[in-house]
Amino acid sequence: MKLDIKGVKELMNNDLIKNLNYFDSVTSTNELALKKNSDEIVEGDVIIAGEQTKGRGRLDRSWHSPKYLGLWFSIIVEPTKDFDRIPLLTLIGALSVHQAIKNIGINTDLKWPNDILYKNKKVCGVLSQFRSNGNKIDKVVIGIGINVNQKNFPVELKDHSISLRMIKNERIDKEKLLAYILDSFACFYKMFKNGEYKIIIDNWKKEMSILNKQITLNTSDNKKINGLVVDISNKGELIIEQSDKVRKKFIAGDVSIDKNSLRF
């Protein structure tokens, strides 16, 4: 069923989100947002799609975005903080979805830096991208894809993906869920603008699945780092303690963990 934008607006209660821009079908909401001229989109705009024909996640992985069954959207912000704080916006996006899902009675895990899992199956992914003007960040686009009302997945995804409907065995109200998410995002973004990074990170650490777990991190330059996850920095970096007790910080990477060691 097509998303009721008016219904979402009536349910929201925040000062950040200004415009909900709905498109029945796009290649990807992030792509559309990044292509728009600066005067066409402002902080607090949200681009929502009924479907994405070329939805993407991290590492250019495709994201299955069937029509009217999920929530596929991008939030546009214009942060004035230092460049090295921008990764926190991905964490805020994931944390906002996690809390909204909890509000409808489902407990999920946060997997650093951008995934939401239920029993090791992906429910949601977040992809943040930015556009710069010289040394200044012009716009940051936080793209969010949530599996909401799918009853099944293509064979290549069914072992790794799950929808909220499959978890609860009932249809999920997408309007209410999206309103929860946008209100939560606005709250955390206000903390971000006020420099309250520790509060954001503390909220994240309470819900993350890999804290105090042994993991393997695949870095962008194809290195494998093994170690114990001991913390997240106030810049959103994963802090790993290796076997020699040396601690290192990583701002990005693909984390894998033994399924049996996850917390559910």
Side-chain angles (χ1 to χ4, degrees):
M1 186 180 296
K2 188 175 178 178
L3 189 72
D4 178 6
I5 296 298
K6 183 180 178 182
V8 178
K9 290 179 178 178
E10 289 173 350
L11 289 166
M12 281 194 312
N13 182 26
N14 69 78
D15 297 326
L16 173 66
I17 304 303
K18 299 177 178 66
N19 300 300
L20 302 181
N21 306 282
Y22 178 84
F23 300 86
D24 210 45
S25 181
V26 300
T27 52
S28 87
T29 56
N30 268 28
E31 182 178 295
L32 181 59
L34 291 167
K35 280 184 176 179
K36 285 184 173 292
N37 295 327
S38 286
D39 57 353
E40 291 182 288
I41 53 172
V42 297
E43 180 164 278
D45 280 359
V46 181
I47 293 177
I48 307 165
E51 71 171 345
Q52 295 182 117
T53 58
K54 294 182 180 178
R56 292 285 165 187
R58 287 182 62 250
L59 306 177
D60 205 33
R61 293 168 177 155
S62 63
W63 184 272
H64 184 59
S65 312
K67 200 162 196 175
Y68 305 152
L69 293 178
L71 284 172
W72 329 116
F73 62 100
S74 297
I75 305 169
I76 292 89
V77 293
E78 301 173 1
T80 56
K81 298 297 180 185
D82 294 338
F83 177 81
D84 60 357
R85 298 288 183 184
I86 299 305
L88 281 174
L89 294 173
T90 298
L91 272 64
I92 287 172
L95 188 58
S96 301
V97 176
H98 171 81
Q99 291 207 340
I101 292 174
K102 183 179 282 190
N103 279 345
I104 64 170
I106 299 173
N107 291 317
T108 55
D109 277 311
L110 288 169
K111 181 187 175 188
W112 182 89
N114 68 319
D115 288 336
I116 295 175
L117 306 179
Y118 179 82
K119 295 186 177 179
N120 211 39
K121 289 188 175 184
K122 189 177 292 191
V123 173
C124 169
V126 180
L127 175 65
S128 295
Q129 296 174 285
F130 68 88
R131 189 170 62 192
S132 60
N133 183 6
N135 293 325
K136 184 173 180 277
I137 292 174
D138 178 32
K139 298 281 190 302
V140 177
V141 179
I142 300 99
I144 297 174
I146 311 167
N147 299 326
V148 183
N149 280 320
Q150 294 98 318
K151 293 181 180 179
N152 51 58
F153 287 88
V155 64
E156 66 273 16
L157 297 176
K158 67 178 185 177
D159 292 336
H160 309 288
S161 301
I162 196 168
S163 73
L164 301 177
R165 181 171 186 162
M166 292 165 70
I167 297 167
K168 289 205 78 174
N169 199 28
E170 64 184 45
R171 183 184 171 278
I172 304 299
D173 186 328
K174 290 191 298 179
E175 288 77 16
K176 185 180 291 186
L177 180 62
L178 181 55
Y180 279 150
I181 294 166
L182 296 177
D183 282 350
S184 184
F185 183 90
C187 180
F188 283 117
Y189 185 62
K190 185 176 181 179
M191 294 177 191
F192 175 86
K193 290 197 294 185
N194 290 338
E196 297 171 336
Y197 309 125
K198 186 177 185 304
I199 297 175
I200 296 169
I201 294 301
D202 285 349
N203 274 275
W204 175 277
K205 288 195 296 185
K206 286 177 187 175
E207 308 295 343
M208 69 185 291
S209 61
I210 60 172
L211 188 63
N212 300 318
K213 300 289 190 298
Q214 291 287 337
I215 59 99
T216 298
L217 177 74
N218 293 302
T219 66
S220 57
D221 54 357
N222 294 318
K223 291 181 180 177
K224 287 186 184 243
I225 308 296
N226 297 304
L228 181 71
V229 176
V230 293
D231 209 348
I232 291 182
S233 77
N234 284 351
K235 293 181 180 179
E237 302 156 308
L238 193 70
I239 302 176
I240 297 175
E241 184 176 279
Q242 298 180 281
S243 57
D244 57 4
K245 302 302 180 182
V246 172
R247 295 187 175 188
K248 293 184 178 179
K249 297 179 180 179
F250 300 88
I251 200 60
D254 198 26
V255 171
S256 60
I257 182 174
D258 183 350
K259 292 181 183 181
N260 295 324
S261 65
L262 284 171
R263 182 184 75 242
F264 298 123

